Amino acid sequence: MPTLTLDLLNSLPAEEAAARLDGLYEHSPWIAEAALRERPFRGLAQFQHALARAVTQAPREAQLALIRAHPELAGKAMVARTLTAESTNEQGKAGLTACTPEEFDRIQQLNADYNSRFGFPFILAVRGPRGSGLGKQAIIETFARRLRNLPDFEFDEALRNIHRIAEIRLQDKFGIEPALGQAAWDGMETLARYTDAGYEALGQLTVTYLTEAHQACARHLAELMRETGFDEVHIDAVGNVVGRYLSEDAEAKTLLTGSHYDTVRNGGKYDGRLGIYVPLVWVRELRKQGRRLPFHIELVAFSEEEGQRYKATFLGSSALTGDFRADWLEQHDAEGITLRQAMQSAGLDLSAIAGLRRQPDDYLGFVEVHIEQGPVLNELNLPLGIVTSINGSIRYVGRIEGMASHAGTTPMDRRRDAAAAAAELLLYVEQRAALDGDSVGTVGMLQVPNGSINVVPGLCHFSIDLRAPNDAQRDALSNDVLARLQEICARRGVAYTLEETMRASAAPSAPAWQVRWENAVDALGVPLHRMPSGAGHDAMKLHDILPQAMLFVRGENAGISHNPLESSTADDMQLAIEAFGGLVDTLARDMRKTA
Ligand SMILES: [Zn+2]
């Protein structure tokens, strides 16, 4: 039975409020007591942050004692039935009380290994990111993976899991569930069933431009938008899925939102897709409540952002800004299929691409929700972050041509080794980017085509990805890298070609729209954290024609992304949906006031 409300939390005498929060943190009532000193709270998210801060500010011995107050997973306490009621419920829901003898032995071994490595018990929020329970298999895999973490990181990861456990226990006490967040979470789980040929057997998620799985995603999203209650839905000439939820006023302007549904190879389920499902779930709510707004909402699920199959990236959002370049159509994928052929065989009408360009006058602005793809929010125990700017970037693909020759007979000083030249460039990129402090540089592709163990590499293919928070810094970095490439090749007697495949300006958020996100996040009681985006996003393309601002959502597992471990909780998704709803509602109110 729920025993608490926000009003009670704020108004009960401190001792009584603390008593109602009993069991929130395992055998550690001091945490709730400390947080309660910061009453009143405007929302549960604010209270949770106060709880987390109480732990962060406690001495390390107190943190260690908190971790050690937890029982082992499926350990002696479970067998002897001496767990707290909360732990019994959680371990039961995860199926740990029904382990086979083999599973039980495996977990005991992991418990022993973990304890001897870290000196505290393994703690995992076994209710999982959705809150409905991880399976035994997922628990065992996570256990084995975290055993390899470094001790300091694992200490913090244990604390983060403790906060996650408290979050779910708190909801139980309040008798609430993140139903909207779970709807988004479930939606992305369903969408992740579509994966490119060859990756399904590996259990990996890969959706690259216009593959069968990609087209299935588009159809799925279009159908979903129709079911959700969007008034107009179509798949456009570059494969974007576009849904419009119409205003009460036919002449009204449009709020544009969305993100991409393609993925990197063996990627995560939330990169891009979260920014589709957050608005989608909110429009479902609007529809249910029969509410219309003084503006149209246009949700675009962008078809391509990741640049996996073809060299060009942002194919989806480029079409909206009028930057889809005709020469891209002649690019070919690894199988030699040109972009033109891929688009034609998907039934896309190339002659309609130019018409996809949006007229800025018809639009209010563009907002995008995206998983952070980094560790910042996770480390700060914050569910949401306000993006101040998207870093500018430049990408190149290149080749170095030397001379293939016998590895045994070519003396070291006569070689024209293409791979060694590329390696020297790679190390320079690493050093030069680090000099700036906030620039990054990566050589992510490096190949010796048809190389042999006994042949000096005659050819090397490589890529360069450079990013910085403003264009001047990005260009200085790029100039230095290109100068060094020239110098290396001249000195080594090898030739190079280099093709610039992307140049994106840094995209600072439009101040008025950034403030709208800030107000929406603040209204939820979530402390504001402003941060630049190191990753590129569709918003940086839309930036060319519309004011834009982004909202980041915390990623679990230290914020890892472009990796199957990418994760986000239904609770954080719930907050993102509420923030999106808050932004939309405030915008509607303001427009009605001035109308
Ligand atoms: Zn993305």
Side-chain angles (χ1 to χ4, degrees), residues 408-415:
T409 62
T410 317
M412 294 311 290
D413 60 355
R414 319 275 166 82
R415 294 179 177 215

Side-chain angles (χ1 to χ4, degrees), residues 21 27 36 71 91-92 136 205 208 232-233 248 257 261 269 287 337 352 370 479 535 547 568 590:
L21 294 168
H27 306 297
L36 284 170
Q91 301 209 12
K136 281 182 287 187
L205 174 62
T208 59
E232 300 168 359
V233 179
E248 62 214 1
T257 186
Y261 66 88
K269 297 171 186 168
R287 186 71 186 214
I337 301 168
H370 205 285
N479 289 341
S568 179
D590 293 350

Side-chain angles (χ1 to χ4, degrees), residues 259-260 271-272 305-306 370 373 536-537:
S259 195
H260 61 97
D271 175 2
E305 190 262 5
E306 299 283 8
H370 205 285
Q373 305 185 276
H537 297 291

Side-chain angles (χ1 to χ4, degrees), residues 257-395:
T257 186
S259 195
H260 61 97
Y261 66 88
D262 69 322
T263 75
V264 297
R265 296 191 176 87
N266 194 19
K269 297 171 186 168
Y270 310 103
D271 175 2
R273 295 159 173 215
L274 185 60
I276 300 169
Y277 279 85
V278 163
L280 193 125
V281 170
W282 189 252
V283 166
R284 194 190 66 179
E285 290 307 295
L286 288 174
R287 186 71 186 214
K288 263 194 212 160
Q289 298 161 17
R291 287 176 56 205
R292 293 286 168 175
L293 305 164
F295 48 86
H296 311 292
I297 293 181
E298 182 172 315
L299 170 59
V300 182
F302 294 106
S303 55
E304 204 283 339
E305 190 262 5
E306 299 283 8
Q308 298 288 298
R309 184 173 174 190
Y310 293 95
K311 277 186 277 184
T313 60
F314 296 99
L315 295 177
S317 44
S318 291
L320 270 65
T321 61
D323 290 331
F324 191 100
R325 283 171 24 199
D327 60 307
W328 287 346
L329 294 170
E330 312 316 322
Q331 291 186 352
H332 49 80
D333 69 3
E335 266 90 61
I337 301 168
T338 65
L339 180 56
R340 179 191 301 279
Q341 289 166 334
M343 293 178 81
Q344 282 168 342
S345 67
L348 300 179
D349 176 8
L350 299 181
S351 69
I353 295 175
L356 301 182
R357 186 177 198 286
R358 300 301 196 265
Q359 296 308 317
D361 285 350
D362 298 339
Y363 289 84
L364 296 166
F366 177 73
V367 290
E368 179 174 359
V369 177
H370 205 285
I371 190 165
E372 181 203 332
Q373 305 185 276
V376 175
L377 296 173
N378 193 246
E379 284 174 7
L380 291 171
N381 293 305
L382 284 173
L384 302 172
I386 308 290
V387 178
T388 53
S389 176
I390 305 168
N391 285 352
S393 60
I394 302 184
R395 284 184 188 167

Side-chain angles (χ1 to χ4, degrees), residues 11 235 287 458 470 517 560 579 589:
S11 61
I235 298 175
R287 186 71 186 214
N470 62 68
W517 275 128
I560 194 165
R589 237 191 341 266

Side-chain angles (χ1 to χ4, degrees), residues 431-464:
Q431 289 157 12
R432 174 60 185 80
L435 278 186
D436 289 341
D438 51 3
S439 295
V440 287
T442 307
V443 174
M445 300 195 300
L446 193 59
Q447 277 177 318
V448 177
N450 302 317
S452 299
I453 197 164
N454 58 354
V455 177
V456 175
L459 184 63
C460 187
H461 292 179
F462 62 94
S463 64
I464 307 174

